Amino acid sequence: MRIVSWNVNGLRACAGKGFADWLAGAEADVVGLQEVRARPDQLDAALARPEGWHVHANPAERPGYSGVTLFSRQPPSAVHTSLGDAAFDVEGRYQEAHLGDLVVVNAYFPNGNGKNRDLSRIPYKLDFYRAVFDRLEPARAAGRPVLVMGDFNTAHRPIDLARPKDNEKTSGFRPEEREELDRWLRSGWTDTFRHVHGDTEGAYTWWSQRGGCRERNVGWRIDYVLASPGALEILTDAFIHPHVAGSDHCPIGVALNL
Amino acid sequence: MRIVSWNVNGLRACAGKGFADWLAGAEADVVGLQEVRARPDQLDAALARPEGWHVHANPAERPGYSGVTLFSRQPPSAVHTSLGDAAFDVEGRYQEAHLGDLVVVNAYFPNGNGKNRDLSRIPYKLDFYRAVFDRLEPARAAGRPVLVMGDFNTAHRPIDLARPKDNEKTSGFRPEEREELDRWLRSGWTDTFRHVHGDTEGAYTWWSQRGGCRERNVGWRIDYVLASPGALEILTDAFIHPHVAGSDHCPIGVALNL
DNA sequence: CCTGATAAG
DNA sequence: CTTAGCAGG
């Protein structure tokens, strides 16, 4: 079973850059999208209800903002979207799909930058991390296979971005944000890409749209699939697909023996 | 004395298209701008405090929206911006400058189109017309010279737009909007351009930005200088300058024997 | 920087 | 069709 995550940075724009072809060729069983930035009724039918997929959308209330969508070949037995806090729920950032024994979470973790390009959204971002962590703690501790995929908006270690020194005060690589990821890993979650590929350098999932960044691979690894111990047992692969165009992020994913 | 009105559709954008050169060559004593769409602190000093002019700005509270500004060679003895209703005042649509005996009003009358491209802002628009009318009624009736210049967002008669038949249900040429202008003229105000030029055809002040409209002169006359009886006595000219670029509106104005 | 999407005209 | 704000990272 292959599970893929992609921050599409506007599914309508991405659709015009070949999203449908990518989906058809992705050989995926589950696809989680972040930053869809559209309600289902704003999408073409081919995208809102693609042939051969079950689709669950969780758009934000604010038009054109945030939003996650999950495509799965098999119908989930349940999909939950609430973290129990309206401040999170209105922004369309969370989906938790139950596929047999497996729990697949598709999440769009908040950006820490606030309105005046300040750091005012970092508390909200860290609270979101904790809300997801707390919600999954019983399942993880019970040994159930759980995957958390999505745009975490944080590079974990210096190896995870091209310019660590320049960005120690930038949201996305600040100590308090990195510490939140540390806490997840200390608590038993595994960064599947690092688990499979070790300290491979230059493995990024997002590049600034400023001219030349992607061509020169000046990027950040901020999209992850984290695995619970129960999910790690059946993990067979983890990958980043940096050459897929259509967004400022690229698709990432895992394969499971399932 | 020459008095000029121009809806600049964003003074910052207009500045990049030669606004300063136009102002220097306009041979104007008073210039009223509408849709400035910037607070003074967002403008270059050369624009916010141009050499040789007194400047009064009345920006909207909402950033990047509406806003009127008045340049005058002589300092006004007073400038009023309130119509006594916060619903109008917060949108930066009104300035009334006292220049000796003369009262010059610079007004940006509301567009009637609402949020979903419906007609929901027409009541607000008509209320604004009445608020300005009521505020000026004592001065007009007393015979004082008063000019009301600006973007009225209404074409008065079929001759005032290229496609009258197609636009009878469009905000800007609906009966209830035209009736409001009729009422002003019945009450003693004069449309200075028509007073000077009679039924000249093809005299427009705004053209849709859709390709070809301006080149083919498919436009609307929605910017006016209205004169009270006291001002009409000293009126010597009225003009439209359709070839001035920089906005989707063009400058208009009057000359007074003053 | 530079792009996506809304709001307004 | 265009200006401008907002947001992303």
Side-chain angles (χ1 to χ4, degrees):
Chain A
M1 179 184 250
R2 279 165 58 88
I3 297 177
V4 179
S5 168
W6 194 9
N7 177 321
V8 290
N9 190 26
L11 185 49
R12 282 171 287 183
C14 195
K17 299 170 189 162
F19 177 84
D21 288 344
W22 171 81
L23 183 64
E27 299 190 314
D29 300 285
V30 179
V31 174
L33 306 180
Q34 305 93 38
E35 269 204 282
V36 168
R37 300 172 72 167
R39 293 185 312 270
D41 64 276
Q42 295 175 305
L43 299 168
D44 292 339
L47 226 59
R49 294 176 299 281
E51 185 75 37
W53 293 95
H54 294 86
V55 183
H56 290 266
N58 181 21
E61 286 187 2
R62 183 201 228 269
Y65 178 71
S66 186
V68 289
T69 291
L70 194 88
F71 297 155
S72 63
R73 252 68 244 205
Q74 78 181 82
S77 59
V79 178
H80 301 136
T81 58
S82 178
L83 287 168
D85 184 338
F88 298 136
D89 294 349
V90 295
E91 295 200 4
R93 297 183 174 277
Y94 187 80
Q95 296 180 295
E96 175 191 311
H98 294 246
L99 295 156
D101 199 31
L102 180 69
V103 178
V104 176
V105 169
N106 179 31
Y108 175 38
F109 292 76
N111 186 306
N113 289 121
K115 207 171 169 173
N116 298 324
R117 272 122 210 284
D118 56 20
L119 302 169
S120 58
R121 286 269 286 185
I122 288 186
Y124 178 84
K125 175 178 179 176
L126 300 181
D127 287 347
F128 186 91
Y129 268 81
R130 289 167 197 143
V132 176
F133 182 94
D134 291 347
R135 162 162 254 267
L136 300 176
E137 188 53 15
R140 186 203 63 76
R144 294 190 55 191
V146 184
L147 295 175
V148 183
M149 67 175 162
D151 176 359
F152 283 68
N153 261 315
T154 304
H156 182 214
R157 294 187 292 135
I159 197 178
D160 294 315
L161 69 169
R163 304 272 182 267
K165 284 286 191 303
D166 297 350
N167 287 293
E168 280 169 355
K169 292 175 177 174
T170 310
S171 176
F173 194 59
R174 292 175 65 88
E176 66 272 33
E177 300 173 293
R178 298 170 58 193
E179 162 59 21
E180 200 52 47
L181 273 177
D182 278 328
R183 192 171 74 91
W184 282 63
L185 302 203
R186 281 199 310 270
S187 306
W189 292 92
T190 296
D191 174 347
T192 56
F193 183 83
R194 286 287 169 224
H195 181 79
V196 170
H197 297 279
D199 284 348
T200 299
E201 295 188 32
Y204 308 131
T205 65
W206 173 81
W207 301 263
S208 165
Q209 299 177 121
R210 245 171 319 207
C213 283
R214 191 154 183 177
E215 300 79 74
R216 286 160 31 225
N217 197 31
V218 177
W220 300 47
R221 194 170 69 96
I222 58 178
D223 300 85
Y224 305 92
V225 184
L226 303 190
S228 72
L232 193 63
E233 287 174 21
I234 52 172
L235 184 82
T236 59
D237 194 15
F239 52 85
I240 291 175
H241 286 160
H243 301 303
V244 175
S247 166
D248 52 348
H249 295 247
C250 74
I252 63 160
V254 295
L256 301 180
N257 182 10
L258 206 73
Chain B
M1 179 185 250
R2 281 164 57 89
I3 297 176
V4 179
S5 168
W6 195 8
N7 177 321
V8 290
N9 190 27
L11 184 49
R12 283 170 290 181
C14 194
K17 300 170 188 163
F19 177 84
D21 288 344
W22 170 81
L23 183 64
E27 299 190 314
D29 301 285
V30 180
V31 174
L33 305 181
Q34 305 92 40
E35 269 204 281
V36 169
R37 299 172 74 167
R39 293 185 313 271
D41 64 277
Q42 295 174 304
L43 299 168
D44 291 341
L47 225 59
R49 295 176 299 279
E51 184 75 38
W53 293 95
H54 294 87
V55 182
H56 290 266
N58 181 21
E61 286 188 1
R62 184 203 229 268
Y65 178 70
S66 187
V68 290
T69 291
L70 194 88
F71 297 155
S72 62
R73 264 39 269 195
Q74 78 180 82
S77 59
V79 178
H80 301 135
T81 58
S82 177
L83 287 167
D85 184 338
F88 299 136
D89 294 349
V90 295
E91 295 201 3
R93 298 182 173 278
Y94 187 80
Q95 296 180 294
E96 176 191 310
H98 295 246
L99 295 156
D101 200 31
L102 179 69
V103 178
V104 176
V105 169
N106 179 32
Y108 175 39
F109 292 76
N111 188 307
N113 290 121
K115 208 171 170 172
N116 299 324
R117 273 123 209 283
D118 57 19
L119 302 169
S120 59
R121 286 269 286 184
I122 288 184
Y124 178 84
K125 175 178 179 176
L126 299 181
D127 286 346
F128 186 92
Y129 269 81
R130 287 167 199 143
V132 176
F133 182 94
D134 290 347
R135 162 162 253 264
L136 300 176
E137 187 54 13
R140 186 205 61 78
R144 294 190 55 189
V146 184
L147 294 175
V148 184
M149 66 174 163
D151 175 359
F152 284 69
N153 260 314
T154 304
H156 183 214
R157 293 186 292 137
I159 196 178
D160 294 315
L161 68 170
R163 305 271 182 267
K165 284 284 192 301
D166 298 348
N167 288 292
E168 281 168 355
K169 292 174 178 176
T170 309
S171 176
F173 194 57
R174 292 176 65 88
E176 66 271 35
E177 299 173 294
R178 299 170 57 192
E179 163 58 21
E180 200 51 47
L181 274 176
D182 278 329
R183 192 171 73 92
W184 281 63
L185 302 203
R186 281 199 309 271
S187 307
W189 293 92
T190 296
D191 175 348
T192 56
F193 183 83
R194 287 288 169 221
H195 182 80
V196 171
H197 297 279
D199 284 347
T200 301
E201 294 186 33
Y204 308 130
T205 66
W206 173 81
W207 303 263
S208 165
Q209 298 177 119
R210 254 173 315 220
C213 283
R214 190 152 184 179
E215 300 77 75
R216 287 157 34 224
N217 197 30
V218 177
W220 299 48
R221 193 171 70 95
I222 58 179
D223 300 84
Y224 305 92
V225 183
L226 303 189
S228 71
L232 193 62
E233 286 175 23
I234 52 171
L235 184 82
T236 59
D237 194 16
F239 53 86
I240 291 175
H241 286 161
H243 301 303
V244 175
S247 165
D248 52 347
H249 295 248
C250 74
I252 65 162
V254 296
L256 301 179
N257 183 9
L258 206 72

